[in-house]
Amino acid sequence: MKFAKKYDRYMKGMNEELPGVGLKRLKKLLKKCRSDLQSHENDGAAGRCPGHCSVCDGSFFPSLLNEMSAVVGCFNEKAKKLLELHLASGFKKYTMWFTTKGHKSHGTLIQQGKDLVTYAIINAVAMRKILKKLLTKGLSCQIHYSKQGQEFKAQAQSLHIEILQSPWLSELMAFYINLRRSKKDKGVMELFGDCSLIFDDDKPTISCNLFDSMRVDISLTCSICLDTVFDPVALSCGHIYCYLCSCSAASVTIVDGLKSAERKSKCPLCRQAGVFPHAVHLDELNMLLSYSCPDYWEKRIQMERVERVRLAKEHWESQCRAFLGM
């Protein structure tokens, strides 16, 4: 079965209507561009998409950009609400239950977590399929400038709307695995085929398989300290770091936090600016890693405690010196 039909069947089979990517409509726009250019070619014009194409620039790219924004916005909102409900305690949880559609059982939370991860990944594949069709050379889209598609992709990344860059995706995958953990065997992490935590030479990766052909792997190694992320945070660009490492990269103290980071501070990996103030604390991922490698986690807790006390002491000493004019 072709992906477009598989995607169509999946979106129509959902319990509620959610934003999606109009693959058929977008493909028709590309075909229209091709037919227009072929008619120009017959008139002696060059057979390539010009610097400004009324179909591509006027319809295709704006439509896809709007659809990507709607999908990612919907996913982020639903993932945030689901995770807040699961992590809430006491009166706050009961209040959230009443404001949502009644009590959510353990099984319901598992299913909703799985459905959201599936929704994110299949839409990410749909977005990339249509971009690949635009960029492919030697096939139906050889008339298009690859540069146009590349510029659009860069624009989408800069707007943080590629769904696989969403800080909530890894957190939701961890949430799903945590709920599926065996209550009988708390010392061993189960692999569930669709979402799992994998260790390769002590380097952890959270992985998700979908439809036997789609796979998402998210590395859980901090690229600053080169160790397993501890007290992880995801920047708005999607990259994951230890909290202390991210504070160091943003040149802020642990007392002030990442919200105080300057807009010019850049992600150490992708070099995008302004990604620290909206960083997301990955509590579910933190729990998953603490269960999966308890010895390492206990060791890191001891090290972090000493380091945080030292950093906090330095911060308040500097504040006292500034206050006293020393």
Side-chain angles (χ1 to χ4, degrees):
M1 184 186 296
K2 289 186 177 181
F3 176 79
K5 290 184 178 179
K6 189 182 292 185
Y7 177 79
D8 228 27
R9 178 180 294 182
Y10 168 78
M11 294 300 292
K12 288 179 180 178
M14 297 187 71
N15 294 329
E16 59 179 315
E17 188 175 345
L18 298 178
V21 179
L23 288 177
K24 291 183 179 179
R25 183 176 54 79
L26 292 171
K27 286 180 180 178
K28 285 181 180 179
L29 288 174
L30 292 180
K31 287 181 180 179
K32 184 178 186 305
C33 179
R34 174 170 183 158
S35 62
D36 289 349
L37 288 171
Q38 283 177 339
S39 64
H40 286 305
E41 188 177 17
N42 293 335
D43 295 337
R48 286 189 178 276
C49 192
H52 175 75
C53 172
S54 60
V55 177
C56 290
D57 297 338
S59 301
F60 178 82
F61 290 122
S63 295
L64 183 54
L65 197 64
N66 289 336
E67 289 172 0
M68 289 172 70
S69 299
V71 168
V72 177
C74 174
F75 169 74
N76 286 342
E77 182 183 357
K78 286 187 170 293
K80 185 177 180 180
K81 285 183 178 178
L82 184 63
L83 292 166
E84 283 179 348
L85 175 62
H86 180 242
L87 293 171
S89 59
F91 179 76
K92 184 179 180 181
K93 175 168 284 192
Y94 285 110
T95 303
M96 293 180 71
W97 277 341
F98 282 116
T99 55
T100 56
K101 295 180 180 179
H103 175 75
K104 296 184 184 297
S105 66
H106 187 82
T108 304
L109 289 175
I110 290 176
Q111 189 58 48
Q112 287 188 347
K114 182 177 181 179
D115 289 346
L116 276 175
V117 171
T118 305
Y119 173 74
I121 294 175
I122 197 169
N123 274 285
V125 174
M127 294 171 192
R128 294 192 175 190
K129 286 276 186 184
I130 196 68
L131 284 175
K132 185 178 179 181
K133 187 169 183 63
L134 177 74
L135 298 173
T136 300
K137 291 182 178 291
L139 297 176
S140 61
C141 299
Q142 62 180 351
I143 54 174
H144 291 91
Y145 267 132
S146 293
K147 183 180 178 182
Q148 285 183 306
Q150 293 290 356
E151 288 176 351
F152 167 79
K153 191 173 181 181
Q155 183 184 7
Q157 288 174 334
S158 68
L159 293 172
H160 311 309
I161 61 175
E162 273 210 65
I163 199 164
L164 295 183
Q165 288 183 323
S166 170
W168 296 105
L169 181 59
S170 55
E171 181 73 339
L172 197 59
M173 289 165 67
F175 159 79
Y176 174 63
I177 298 174
N178 284 337
L179 286 181
R180 290 288 303 272
R181 280 181 55 81
S182 170
K183 293 183 179 180
K184 295 180 180 179
D185 188 359
K186 295 185 179 180
V188 179
M189 168 54 61
E190 295 181 350
L191 302 182
F192 304 106
D194 43 9
C195 282
S196 59
L197 180 65
I198 302 169
F199 285 88
D200 184 13
D201 293 330
D202 293 329
K203 300 295 183 183
T205 301
I206 192 165
S207 175
C208 187
N209 295 316
L210 186 65
F211 299 141
D212 300 322
S213 60
M214 306 172 200
R215 181 185 177 98
V216 173
D217 295 313
I218 301 175
S219 174
L220 301 180
T221 299
C222 176
S223 59
I224 297 177
C225 66
L226 303 180
D227 214 336
T228 300
V229 289
F230 182 86
D231 191 15
V233 292
L235 307 186
S236 53
C237 60
H239 293 117
I240 301 173
Y241 302 98
C242 305
Y243 179 68
L244 284 185
C245 293
S246 59
C247 285
S248 175
S251 301
V252 296
T253 68
I254 60 170
V255 178
D256 294 329
L258 294 175
K259 291 187 182 296
S260 64
E262 295 184 6
R263 296 291 302 176
K264 64 180 182 180
S265 299
K266 297 179 180 179
C267 170
L269 275 178
C270 65
R271 307 306 297 164
Q272 289 187 40
V275 293
F276 288 98
H278 301 291
V280 176
H281 247 105
L282 305 179
D283 297 319
E284 290 286 348
L285 186 58
N286 198 51
M287 286 189 285
L288 175 61
L289 290 170
S290 67
Y291 292 142
S292 306
C293 38
D295 293 338
Y296 164 78
W297 215 249
E298 186 60 33
K299 183 180 177 181
R300 280 296 297 265
I301 287 175
Q302 299 300 326
M303 293 170 59
E304 291 274 324
R305 184 177 293 130
V306 172
E307 182 65 10
R308 291 190 183 215
V309 168
R310 183 186 68 80
L311 292 173
K313 184 179 178 182
E314 287 182 358
H315 171 78
W316 291 116
E317 285 179 348
S318 67
Q319 292 293 311
C320 288
R321 285 195 297 269
F323 178 75
L324 297 173
M326 298 172 61

